[in-house]
């Protein structure tokens, strides 16, 4: 009996392991086509009506740690400003053992609406340079691990809309970092360059600069995830050369701008992955850009297996196109 041609095409899921992140990912590209009612653009953080990171409101934050630019401490005139987080996840005078450390906020610009992707060259490089300086200072203070991250949009965990980064210094090495060390040691190879090489062979390269490269990992776990690394294998951001800081900053800035155009300003996380402060073992710090256009659902939460709905090589092609 003749069957009518199907009006749908069944996607073919594929299980991929990610040697760099240790994650197990089900690539299910067909799911990106399923009906959506939620928009990609998440509302910006509601937050207080009076922004504590805007110039003139310096008294709304704890006394500043340092600044770039002009003016007296805790007064306007700054271009970038570092303050302790008012609601730290670690540190503070009363922290219990294990929860000691430091939690700082780096405000990228006096402009309330200028996210990292909209910074000019000088502003983007100054931001990553200041993040490296804070990571160096917190390393010198003897903390075990320093993490640098940017959260943009409420769905990505940002509670204040004014663009900023978090620098969190822990007095212990977190399990995910220990696991990454173990993967690097077991591989006896540069897992970051290996991931980059596999992606490049499959058409997943996004951009190259003299001291930085960006690509979509073939087993990335978040739609339109982009990875960036400096040209040389160094364990931490604090070890990066000025040339690498400059090229990584500009690469991340350009990718965030392109993802904003492509995905209608999605919420996102930018996470610097690096070694513990005292670890001399070979490693390669890298930056993970994670647009948050999907939410981990029950399957992911219960199984630990992540679902990727956009083929990474197609994502890379779309980001390359948006970069033009
Ligand atoms: Zn503001």
């Amino acid at each position: 009996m003749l069957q009518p041609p199907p009006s749908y095409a069944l996607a073919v899921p594929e299980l991929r392991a990610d040697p760099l992140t240790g994650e197990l990912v089900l690539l299910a590209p067909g799911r990106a086509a399923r009906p959506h009612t939620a928009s990609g653009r998440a509302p910006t953080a509601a937050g207080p009506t009076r922004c504590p990171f805007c110039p003139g409101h310096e008294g709304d934050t704890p006394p500043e740690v340092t600044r770039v630019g002009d003016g007296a401490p805790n007064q306007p005139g700054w271009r970038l400003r570092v303050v302790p987080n008012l609601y730290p996840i670690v540190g503070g005078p009363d922290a219990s053992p294990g929860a000691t450390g430091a939690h700082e906020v780096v405000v990228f610009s006096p402009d309330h609406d200028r996210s990292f992707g909209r910074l000019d060259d000088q502003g983007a490089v100054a931001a990553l340079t200041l993040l490296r300086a804070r990571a160096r200072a917190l390393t010198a203070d003897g903390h075990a691990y320093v993490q640098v991250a940017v959260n943009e949009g409420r769905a990505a965990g940002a509670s204040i809309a004014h663009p900023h980064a978090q620098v969190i210094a822990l007095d212990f090495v977190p399990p995910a970092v220990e696991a990454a060390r173990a993967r690097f040691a077991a591989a006896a190879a540069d897992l970051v360059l290996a991931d980059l090489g596999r992606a490049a062979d499959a058409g997943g390269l996004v951009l190259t600069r003299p001291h930085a490269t960006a690509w979509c990992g073939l087993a990335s776990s978040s739609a339109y995830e982009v990875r960036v690394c400096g040209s040389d294998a160094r364990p931490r951001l604090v070890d990066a050369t000025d040339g690498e800081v400059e090229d990584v900053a500009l690469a991340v800035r350009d990718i965030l701008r392109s993802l904003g155009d492509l995905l209608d300003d999605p919420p996102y996380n930018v996470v610097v992955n690096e070694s513990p402060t005292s670890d001399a073992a070979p490693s390669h710090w890298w930056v993970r850009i994670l647009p948050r256009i999907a939410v981990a659902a029950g399957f992911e939460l219960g199984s630990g297996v992540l679902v990727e709905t956009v083929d990474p090589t197609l994502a890379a092609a779309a980001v390359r196109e948006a970069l033009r």
Side-chain angles (χ1 to χ4, degrees):
M1 191 199 297
L2 281 176
Q3 298 284 338
S7 59
Y8 56 87
L10 279 176
V12 181
E14 183 185 336
L15 184 66
R16 294 183 177 183
D18 191 329
L20 177 56
T21 63
E23 292 168 351
L24 205 52
V25 177
L26 274 166
L27 179 64
R31 288 181 63 77
R34 72 194 192 281
H36 265 289
T37 51
S39 108
R41 183 196 291 263
T44 50
T49 48
R50 178 184 157 97
C51 175
F53 296 162
C54 271
H57 298 171
E58 286 79 6
D60 293 5
T61 68
E64 75 187 43
V65 175
T66 187
R67 66 169 51 198
V68 174
D70 301 323
N74 305 306
Q75 299 294 325
W78 49 275
R79 286 186 286 118
L80 296 104
R81 186 167 186 256
V82 182
V83 295
N85 193 307
L86 188 56
Y87 305 101
I89 61 172
V90 291
D94 302 319
S96 56
T100 57
H103 188 170
E104 297 180 349
V105 170
V106 176
V107 184
F108 292 144
S109 155
D111 184 343
H112 184 84
D113 296 314
R114 191 163 298 278
S115 63
F116 198 97
R118 307 288 167 191
L119 293 171
D120 62 16
D121 286 9
Q122 189 188 27
V125 174
L128 190 56
T129 302
L130 181 56
L131 290 168
R132 181 183 62 178
R134 291 317 305 155
R136 282 178 174 169
L138 293 167
T139 299
D141 285 348
H143 299 295
Y145 184 72
V146 179
Q147 195 216 42
V148 172
V150 177
N151 307 317
E152 173 87 12
R154 195 164 50 192
S159 55
I160 293 178
H162 196 128
H164 61 280
Q166 312 271 341
V167 184
I168 298 173
L170 301 175
D171 290 330
F172 65 95
V173 177
V177 177
E178 287 285 12
R181 290 171 79 182
R183 280 194 302 279
F184 248 89
D190 186 331
L191 287 176
V192 173
L193 291 186
D195 192 60
L196 162 57
R198 280 190 300 275
D201 289 346
L205 215 54
V206 170
L207 69 81
T208 56
R209 300 184 61 90
H211 303 290
T213 307
W215 71 101
C216 289
L218 297 187
S220 66
S221 61
S222 182
Y224 297 94
E225 172 183 336
V226 183
R227 301 172 175 186
V228 183
C229 74
S231 46
D232 288 335
R234 304 178 199 280
R236 288 159 291 265
L237 169 62
V238 299
D239 308 313
T241 63
D242 289 350
E244 287 171 321
V245 165
E246 177 174 336
D247 277 353
V248 169
L250 296 178
V252 169
R253 188 273 314 271
D254 289 348
I255 290 160
L256 289 175
R257 182 182 291 166
S258 300
L259 290 172
D261 294 343
L262 193 62
L263 304 173
D264 195 16
D265 289 333
Y268 61 78
N269 301 106
V270 178
V271 183
V272 176
N273 293 274
E274 54 187 337
S275 291
T277 53
S278 62
D279 188 2
S283 186
H284 196 155
W285 73 282
W286 61 288
V287 180
R288 195 172 189 185
I289 301 172
L290 296 156
R292 300 296 292 271
I293 56 177
V295 176
F299 173 74
E300 287 95 326
L301 295 173
S303 67
V305 179
L306 302 161
V307 178
E308 168 63 281
T309 57
V310 177
D311 185 316
T313 54
L314 298 180
V319 178
R320 282 198 304 270
E321 183 65 28
L323 278 166
R324 288 170 195 261

